[in-house]
Amino acid sequence: MAKTLALPKEQLVKQALTQMQKSLADNTWTDRQKLALTCRILFENGHDSGLAGQITARGPQPGTYYTQQLGLGFDEITASNLLLVNEDLEVLEGHGMANPANRFHSWVYRARPDVNCIIHTHPAHIAALSMLEVPLQISHMDLCPLYDDCAFLESWPGVPVGNEEGELIAGALGDKRAILLSHHGQLSTGTTIEEACVIAQLIERAARLQLLAMAAGTIKPIIPALGREAHDWVSKPKRHAAAFNYYARQNLRQHADCLN
C-alpha cells in the first residue's frame, strides 16, 4: 500500500535529499586525478579547442593551484603531468610552463574564497553565442543549476594575460558560479572539482539549446520561483558528485591512462 502519495512536495523533497546522502557514493580519486579526469571529460564533450583553455584547482598551500602544462591538449593530461604553480605562475612542482592566461585564475581565487576549482574553455556553442554578445538565457529544467547563476561580460578585454583582465573577469563574475565571456568563451567555478566540471558541461549544453531555440523562435522565460526551486534542487554536492562519477565512468573506458 502506497504511503507517500498524499505527502506535500516539500516533504518529498526533504526525503529524497536524505536518501541521496545515504545512497550516492563518494569517489576516492585525488585532486590531481579528478583534474585529469575533468580534462578528458571535457575533451570528449566538445570543450577541446587546441591549446586554449585552462583548468585549475587550489593546491595544498594558500596561493597555489594545479593546472595543465602549456603545450598539452586536454586529452593528454594525466595526474602526473599536472603542474603546481603559485599566483605568479611560477612552477613549484612539475616540468614545463603554465598557460600565461592562467593569470586571471589568480584574481578569481583571490576574490572568491569559496571557489576551489575554475574551468575556462572555448567550446563551439559557447563561442558561437559569445559572438552574438547576448547573455545565456536559462529556460529549461535541465539547465536550472545555472538559473540566475551565470554572469555576462559583454566587452571583450583582449587576450587575458594581464592583471587588468583578471580584475575585470573576477569583478564581472561576482558571486555567480559561471560567466559567459563575449567573443571569448566560458568560465565555470565550483566549491569542488566535481561541481565545476558539471557546471562546465551544463553551460555548453545551455548555449547549444539556446542557439537552437533562437533559430526556431522566441525563447519563453520560465517562472522565476520555479527556476530558483530547480536550481536549488539540483545544486547539491551529492548530485554533482554523482554526475561527475558518471562522466568519469564513461571516459575511463578509453582514458584510463589519465589516472597515472
Side-chain angles (χ1 to χ4, degrees):
M1 200 68 179
K3 301 177 182 178
T4 60
L5 299 185
L7 294 180
K9 184 176 183 178
E10 181 180 350
Q11 187 171 345
L12 292 172
V13 167
K14 185 176 180 180
Q15 287 184 0
L17 292 175
T18 299
Q19 288 176 318
M20 277 188 237
Q21 286 297 119
K22 296 178 180 178
S23 300
L24 296 179
D26 294 324
N27 63 61
T28 58
W29 295 303
T30 66
D31 283 354
R32 280 179 174 271
Q33 289 175 323
K34 285 188 279 190
L35 278 177
L37 279 165
T38 295
C39 287
R40 303 301 180 99
I41 289 166
L42 296 180
F43 175 82
E44 291 292 343
N45 285 275
H47 286 255
D48 174 55
S49 184
L51 301 182
Q54 315 91 37
I55 300 176
T56 65
R58 289 191 190 269
Q61 300 298 326
T64 68
Y65 52 85
Y66 296 108
T67 190
Q68 76 269 31
Q69 296 179 36
L70 181 63
L72 296 181
F74 282 4
D75 59 324
E76 298 179 301
I77 301 304
T78 67
S80 59
N81 66 28
L82 286 165
L83 305 176
L84 180 68
V85 301
N86 61 22
E87 292 181 315
D88 296 315
L89 304 184
E90 296 170 332
V91 176
L92 307 176
E93 292 179 12
H95 303 283
M97 66 176 285
N99 189 329
N102 272 64
R103 180 168 298 278
F104 74 86
H105 291 232
S106 296
W107 287 93
V108 173
Y109 282 127
R110 283 190 162 214
R112 292 284 301 276
D114 60 308
V115 166
N116 290 306
C117 181
I118 298 170
I119 296 172
H120 169 61
T121 56
H122 306 169
H125 298 94
I126 280 286
L129 187 62
S130 80
M131 294 164 64
L132 301 176
E133 293 187 353
V134 296
L136 197 68
Q137 188 171 347
I138 303 303
S139 190
H140 187 275
M141 180 179 69
D142 292 351
L143 311 177
C144 280
L146 288 168
Y147 187 82
D148 197 27
D149 216 352
C150 183
F152 178 56
L153 180 59
E154 186 172 358
S155 60
W156 180 50
V159 179
V161 297
N163 290 311
E164 299 85 354
E165 291 83 9
E167 289 185 278
L168 180 63
I169 292 172
L173 176 66
D175 62 356
K176 308 295 187 186
R177 283 195 297 187
I179 185 170
L180 174 65
L181 306 168
S182 284
H183 307 286
H184 191 175
Q186 68 82 30
L187 184 147
S188 297
T189 70
T191 57
T192 64
I193 296 169
E194 292 92 331
E195 179 184 12
C197 179
V198 171
I199 295 300
Q201 288 273 71
L202 195 60
I203 194 173
E204 168 63 356
R205 174 173 167 80
R208 179 163 62 90
L209 290 178
Q210 182 167 335
L211 290 168
L212 287 170
M214 289 168 62
T218 302
I219 298 175
K220 308 299 183 184
I222 57 176
I223 298 171
L226 298 182
R228 288 189 290 269
E229 177 189 65
H231 172 281
D232 295 346
W233 164 247
V234 179
S235 299
K236 298 290 188 293
K238 280 288 186 180
R239 288 286 296 261
H240 294 317
F244 179 86
N245 292 347
Y246 168 60
Y247 293 137
R249 290 194 301 273
Q250 283 183 317
N251 283 271
L252 283 171
R253 294 167 194 159
Q254 55 184 331
H255 292 288
D257 63 305
C258 73
L259 298 179
N260 300 329

